[in-house]
Structures are given as structure tokens and as C-alpha cells.
Amino acid sequence: MVKVIMGKRGSGKTKQVIDMVNYAVNVESGHVVCVEKGQKLRFDINHQARLVDVSSYPVTSYDALTGFLCGMMAANYDITHVFIDSLYKIANDDSPDDAVSFIAGLEKLSAEHNVSFTITISADVESATEELKKYF
């Protein structure tokens, strides 16, 4: 399963993700991972969730992010949910079409490895393509 939360800056996406991460830690049987750029969530999410600051790694594109996520999943078979906060910022690419291609790849990973993905995108919902809206 892949879910996208999209909205302009200040619309409450991050608060929603914090609540979802904390809930997932309590109800899911595997490991919960939250990927962000920077460390703004470190005091807000449950310490049992694995918080990963991608700015510590050379992740600067959708391809690099895909490889990064695959590496994490290969190293830890117990991951059940990955949250990605601010996708456009992490990938350095705000193209909705590129995001859809990336998310389609995540959909395949999700099905093959039984991992759920929740992604936030900071942009106006009106800018989303119909393909992207199906993940809302």
C-alpha cells in the first residue's frame, strides 16, 4: 500500500505523519521507519520508530532514494511501514510525473515485500496529476 498526503506548507501534513508514525509503532508488529531531510521530527515521534535523516547520505534523486529504501529493506526484513516526509525536498525534484514514477516503483516494492509507504508532498493539491491523486 502506498498513501500520499499532499498539501501546501502549513496545512498539517507533518502533524498527521507524526500521529500516524506513533500509531503504527503501537499497532504494527514490525519496524517502523520515518525518512526525513533534517531532524525536525526527532522529538515528536516515538523513540521506537527508526528516524533516518537522509541529508547524512548522498540521496539527491528519486533513483537514489529508491536505492536507499531498498538497501534499508534488504538489511532489515522486519520493516512493515516506511514514512517519507517531504518527498520533493528529499528527491530535489518537484515534478508530479517523476513522483508518480517513483511511487509506482514503491507500489511494486510494497507488494513484493509487504511494506506500507506513506509519503508527504508539500505542494498545492491542485497541481497533482490524476495518476498522483489515486494515491490520496
Side-chain angles (χ1 to χ4, degrees), residues 2-114:
V2 178
K3 179 179 180 176
V4 173
I5 302 168
M6 187 172 187
K8 290 182 180 179
R9 185 175 178 177
S11 64
K13 297 176 306 301
T14 299
K15 173 67 174 133
Q16 191 175 356
V17 165
I18 290 167
D19 292 343
M20 292 172 78
V21 169
N22 290 335
Y23 178 78
V25 165
N26 290 321
V27 300
E28 294 189 17
S29 59
H31 295 148
V32 176
V33 177
C34 184
V35 178
E36 68 170 334
K37 192 166 190 172
Q39 296 184 7
K40 67 182 177 187
L41 301 178
R42 70 179 176 176
F43 297 114
D44 296 314
I45 65 169
N46 187 307
H47 70 280
Q48 292 175 325
R50 172 76 169 125
L51 183 60
V52 179
D53 176 5
V54 295
S55 62
S56 300
Y57 305 95
V59 176
T60 57
S61 67
Y62 287 115
D63 286 341
L65 182 56
T66 299
F68 184 78
L69 294 172
C70 288
M72 280 195 323
M73 291 168 47
N76 184 347
Y77 292 103
D78 293 334
I79 294 175
T80 56
H81 206 132
V82 176
F83 293 85
I84 302 171
D85 190 35
S86 298
L87 179 65
Y88 286 172
K89 186 194 299 186
I90 291 171
N92 292 318
D93 184 345
D94 61 359
S95 164
D97 292 331
D98 292 344
V100 167
S101 295
F102 169 75
I103 293 168
L106 288 186
E107 216 171 16
K108 290 178 185 174
L109 281 175
S110 176
E112 292 171 2
H113 299 282
N114 199 27

